[in-house]
Amino acid sequence: MTTVEPAVVLDRTGLGALVDVLRARGRVVVGPTVRDGAIVLAELDGADALPFGWGVELEAGHYRLVRRADGAAFAHSAGPQSWKNWLLPERVRQWTADRGADGALTVRAEQPAPASFAFLGVRPCDLRAIAIQDRVLTGGRHRDEDYQGRREGAFLIAVECTEPGATCFCVSMGTGPSAGPGYDLALTEVVDDNGHRFLARAGTPAGSDVLAEVPHRPADRSLTESARAAVEGAATRMGRTMPSVDLRALMAGSLTAERWNDVAARCLTCGNCTMACPTCFCTTTEDVTDLTGDHAERWRRWDSCYDLDFSLLHGGPVRPSPHSRYRQWLTHKLGTWYDQFDSSGCVGCGRCIVWCPVGIDITEEAHALHQEAGRPATQSDAEGP
């Protein structure tokens, strides 16, 4: 997307003013902050709540906060949450029903209050994830009106990555570390001998309108080149990679691979990867009543394809084994998602690797399937689940 105006420079005071301007416009500003031993997404009262001077140490099944000497606010990788937590909340009430003293039943559809979010610190991989969920939840005949209402009211401030984590592989998925289309504002953080600054550019008229109210100065060539070099350098330091093959074809050709047995022996089918994933969208409904039976509610909540009841039909679940459930998740994420939505369902954020309690690595599994595909088939390969 062509930017509306040339890039400008904000200092830390300008970043604080940006948050203040958005709040003054009635927006709920959500961004990263330190809480409970992690960098989480939460409502911000001001820019001082950002994780200045904090980074993260990541590995498969491992996450630790670490102190940084440079005071950077956005030099950390994706945390346990994604923007899905705000656009597609874990639980949403859909309707209530009450029985009166005369026995008459009154049903009221839930009418959520209009949302006006400003998401500060959207990583390029998450920017793509939002676009993917837009396609899934609003791109077809059956739209999720709750999601659409939240999404239409969201103002997106992307922050380009200059320091990828050990589990990041956005380059392999074509989703980063530079910001693609879809943002209202994009920031690139630069901390060097000349100070702490943010190169800012608008991507929409709404972004330009907000930026006009924030103290800034024109960007010079030196800062622009420094910011570009930092982002380009990040692209060469990805902690993980996907095999350089057609992943859709790889998944389609690996349905009877022996590797599925190996990963199934480790997988707990806990569903952590689907909860942390910024694109997983499956939901179910549950009905609850009070003890009198006079009040009932229906709630939509997140579901996971790792749940044994997820594919339950008359007679039992379609995918009764961990083998079949892990294979369903991975082949859908990297393969059949294309058939449904014309893109991959993976954006390379690495959350599923970090938050897997046994450290299963989606990139390791893809490489293993690729390596097995190049070997002659054996009898065990043909057995399947």
Side-chain angles (χ1 to χ4, degrees):
M1 178 182 293
T2 303
T3 57
V4 176
E5 295 180 359
V8 299
V9 182
L10 310 182
D11 56 17
R12 281 191 56 166
T13 300
L15 182 65
L18 174 61
V19 175
D20 293 341
V21 166
L22 292 167
R23 284 170 51 83
R25 291 180 172 216
R27 292 189 177 274
V28 175
V29 179
V30 181
T33 192
V34 174
R35 182 180 299 170
D36 299 327
I39 296 177
V40 301
L41 299 176
E43 182 176 347
L44 304 179
D45 292 333
D48 289 343
L50 291 167
F52 289 102
W54 286 102
V56 292
E57 176 186 280
L58 306 176
E59 255 306 333
H62 176 85
Y63 180 101
R64 292 291 184 275
L65 281 176
V66 294
R67 273 292 186 182
R68 297 180 57 88
D70 60 6
F74 299 107
H76 55 85
S77 302
Q81 302 161 299
S82 71
W83 306 99
K84 175 178 77 172
N85 293 68
W86 298 85
L87 294 173
L88 184 69
E90 182 180 356
R91 296 183 78 241
V92 173
R93 189 166 62 184
Q94 296 183 302
W95 52 255
T96 61
D98 292 282
R99 182 166 51 204
D102 60 355
L105 189 66
T106 302
V107 179
R108 299 179 182 85
E110 193 74 8
Q111 297 294 333
S116 183
F117 292 119
F119 294 155
L120 172 60
V122 182
R123 298 298 180 177
C125 58
D126 280 342
L127 193 64
R128 178 67 67 86
I130 292 172
I132 289 172
Q133 288 225 315
D134 288 350
R135 171 69 179 85
V136 171
L137 298 171
T138 66
R141 290 183 301 161
H142 306 289
R143 300 192 172 200
D144 186 316
E145 294 182 359
D146 182 75
Y147 175 90
Q148 186 170 9
R150 293 170 179 269
R151 178 67 181 89
E152 288 177 346
F155 184 91
L156 305 185
I157 306 170
V159 174
E160 296 188 301
C161 289
T162 57
E163 189 167 331
T167 55
C168 293
F169 56 100
C170 63
V171 169
S172 290
M173 307 312 296
T175 61
S178 60
Y183 59 82
D184 293 289
L185 288 176
L187 306 178
T188 310
E189 186 174 29
V190 178
V191 185
D192 55 24
D193 293 340
N194 294 317
H196 192 170
R197 298 96 75 211
F198 302 87
L199 187 71
R201 61 187 189 273
T204 62
S208 294
D209 185 48
V210 168
L211 199 56
E213 292 190 39
V214 177
H216 61 266
R217 65 180 187 273
D220 57 36
R221 174 177 291 184
S222 175
L223 178 59
T224 301
E225 291 178 351
S226 294
R228 182 184 301 114
V231 175
E232 291 175 352
T236 68
R237 302 195 310 276
M238 292 287 114
R240 296 290 199 275
T241 64
M242 278 288 184
S244 299
V245 298
D246 184 337
L247 294 174
R248 181 185 186 184
L250 174 63
M251 293 298 110
S254 300
L255 298 181
T256 59
E258 179 67 24
R259 182 67 183 189
W260 300 119
N261 295 321
D262 179 273
V263 70
R266 293 174 281 135
C267 179
L268 304 177
T269 66
C270 66
N272 264 19
C273 52
T274 59
M275 300 297 105
C277 177
T279 65
C280 279
F281 60 88
C282 289
T283 59
T284 187
T285 57
E286 61 180 6
D287 295 334
V288 296
T289 63
D290 66 3
L291 293 177
T292 68
D294 291 330
H295 177 79
E297 298 178 351
R298 170 162 290 179
W299 290 77
R300 185 190 69 193
R301 62 172 177 81
W302 288 354
D303 202 359
S304 171
C305 54
Y306 285 95
D307 190 332
L308 187 60
D309 289 340
F310 183 81
S311 62
L312 182 65
L313 298 176
H314 178 69
V318 173
R319 305 184 191 97
S321 67
H323 177 298
S324 60
R325 297 204 291 279
Y326 185 87
R327 186 180 66 179
Q328 158 64 21
W329 177 74
L330 188 63
T331 56
H332 184 217
K333 188 67 60 177
L334 299 181
T336 53
W337 202 291
Y338 282 97
D339 300 322
Q340 288 182 283
F341 308 116
D342 300 320
S343 75
S344 172
C346 176
V347 296
C349 68
R351 287 184 178 92
C352 61
I353 304 172
V354 174
W355 299 101
C356 174
V358 295
I360 294 173
D361 183 336
I362 188 175
T363 64
E364 179 184 344
E365 299 311 314
H367 278 287
L369 289 170
H370 175 48
Q371 292 169 5
E372 183 176 339
R375 298 196 300 267
T378 65
Q379 180 62 34
S380 61
D381 290 334
E383 292 175 355

